[in-house]
Amino acid sequence: MTTAERHAYFMKMALKQAQIAFEIGEIPVGAVIVHNDTIISKAYNQTQLLKDPTAHAEMLCITSACHQLGSKYLTDCSLYVTLEPCPMCAGAIKWAQLKSIIWGASDAKSGYLAVSLPHIFTKKTNLISGILEPECASLMKAFFENKR
Amino acid sequence: MTTAERHAYFMKMALKQAQIAFEIGEIPVGAVIVHNDTIISKAYNQTQLLKDPTAHAEMLCITSACHQLGSKYLTDCSLYVTLEPCPMCAGAIKWAQLKSIIWGASDAKSGYLAVSLPHIFTKKTNLISGILEPECASLMKAFFENKR
């Protein structure tokens, strides 16, 4: 697999998680964490279901991956998420020292870049945006159109 | 009780949580959430114990308070925390729509103000700093001196 194919493959897995969120009425964001080319955790946004504002896909995915590896650091892991992380999730990603963050759609309202937090990650962190952006964005758009 | 006495009282309760963290070798940060002058949740930092970088005192306290009230919003609640929140926790506080955030010691390295996120909260959020600052800061100092 090329790097581009790998990114598309894992983002599709994150999209599957987002689709589950969509179907149960949650804002459709999904995430997977990859270690040695293997998915070690996957999660979708569950803020409504758990009545917990911290239950974003990325947060649940990080907690689960740490349990899986028995470590509070995920230095050799990559996080794939369908939406640009918010400041809370960006902060968690920083604490977990994830190697790479790959996201699909940008979030002009609540994303960490939108709220002027561009320097939260160190230069060692790989930041890749726009993977399967149309699919990730259209799921969000469909969700909010349904809500109107 | 005057407002100053109330702040000191609840910060002492947060300090008790921080003391528990200190005694088990965690970075000593504690928090309580207050609703109608009653503590509805309390927590201390457990990132080592849980091997989870998201397990900051504020995060655990918010999740617990939301469970307690059956709501993902804490609009009528105040968070007392011994240390200035980091960006992750500041993000969670924003999502939870807490009315007031009262902290003890500032965090010049990892606090949300230190990483240039001063505008994360809306103008409606009350921000109060420096409550029992010497006690909160000296517990942190003692912890890191022990580590050397």
Side-chain angles (χ1 to χ4, degrees):
Chain A
M1 261 201 293
T2 65
T3 300
E5 285 168 343
R6 188 184 296 112
H7 286 337
Y9 174 80
F10 288 122
M11 190 59 79
K12 270 183 197 157
M13 297 297 111
L15 264 166
K16 278 193 182 180
Q17 293 295 306
Q19 186 67 41
I20 298 171
F22 183 90
E23 284 161 15
I24 63 168
E26 298 275 359
I27 293 177
V29 182
V32 300
I33 288 177
V34 176
H35 182 243
N36 291 339
D37 274 342
T38 302
I39 293 175
I40 59 166
S41 73
K42 48 189 181 177
Y44 51 89
N45 175 42
Q46 296 185 42
T47 54
Q48 297 290 351
L49 187 69
L50 301 179
K51 290 189 172 50
D52 183 347
T54 75
H56 283 195
E58 300 95 312
M59 303 298 285
L60 301 173
C61 211
I62 287 170
T63 294
S64 173
C66 289
H67 288 183
Q68 185 72 14
L69 296 184
S71 166
K72 68 173 186 158
Y73 299 118
L74 301 171
T75 37
D76 291 324
C77 297
S78 299
L79 170 74
Y80 289 81
V81 56
T82 56
L83 188 69
E84 177 190 333
C86 74
M88 172 179 74
C89 295
I93 289 164
K94 185 196 172 189
W95 288 123
Q97 299 183 8
L98 276 146
K99 187 175 63 177
S100 302
I101 305 122
I102 302 102
W103 70 85
S106 59
D107 183 352
K109 189 180 167 204
S110 300
Y112 81 99
L113 292 170
V115 298
S116 301
L117 199 54
H119 305 301
I120 188 167
F121 303 118
T122 67
K123 286 181 184 171
K124 286 192 291 183
T125 312
N126 302 312
L127 301 172
I128 299 157
S129 61
I131 304 295
L132 301 190
E133 193 274 341
E135 293 89 331
C136 294
S138 69
L139 195 59
M140 289 291 282
K141 198 177 165 201
F143 178 82
F144 286 107
E145 279 178 354
N146 275 354
K147 287 277 170 191
R148 276 186 211 129
Chain B
M1 262 204 292
T2 65
T3 300
E5 285 168 344
R6 188 183 296 113
H7 286 337
Y9 174 80
F10 288 123
M11 191 60 79
K12 270 183 197 157
M13 297 299 110
L15 264 166
K16 277 195 183 180
Q17 294 295 305
Q19 187 65 42
I20 299 171
F22 183 89
E23 284 161 16
I24 62 168
E26 297 275 358
I27 294 177
V29 182
V32 299
I33 289 177
V34 176
H35 182 243
N36 292 338
D37 274 341
T38 302
I39 292 175
I40 59 166
S41 73
K42 49 190 181 177
Y44 52 89
N45 175 43
Q46 296 183 43
T47 54
Q48 297 289 350
L49 187 69
L50 300 179
K51 291 189 170 53
D52 183 348
T54 76
H56 283 195
E58 301 95 310
M59 303 298 285
L60 301 173
C61 211
I62 287 170
T63 294
S64 173
C66 289
H67 288 183
Q68 185 72 15
L69 297 184
S71 166
K72 68 173 185 158
Y73 297 118
L74 301 170
T75 38
D76 292 324
C77 296
S78 299
L79 170 75
Y80 289 80
V81 56
T82 57
L83 188 69
E84 177 190 332
C86 75
M88 173 179 73
C89 295
I93 289 165
K94 186 195 171 190
W95 288 124
Q97 300 183 6
L98 276 144
K99 187 174 64 179
S100 302
I101 305 122
I102 302 101
W103 71 86
S106 59
D107 183 351
K109 190 181 167 204
S110 300
Y112 81 98
L113 291 170
V115 297
S116 302
L117 200 54
H119 305 302
I120 189 168
F121 303 118
T122 67
K123 286 181 184 170
K124 287 192 290 184
T125 312
N126 301 311
L127 300 173
I128 300 157
S129 62
I131 304 295
L132 302 190
E133 194 274 340
E135 294 90 330
C136 294
S138 70
L139 194 60
M140 289 290 284
K141 197 177 165 202
F143 178 83
F144 286 107
E145 278 177 356
N146 275 353
K147 287 279 169 190
R148 274 184 213 132

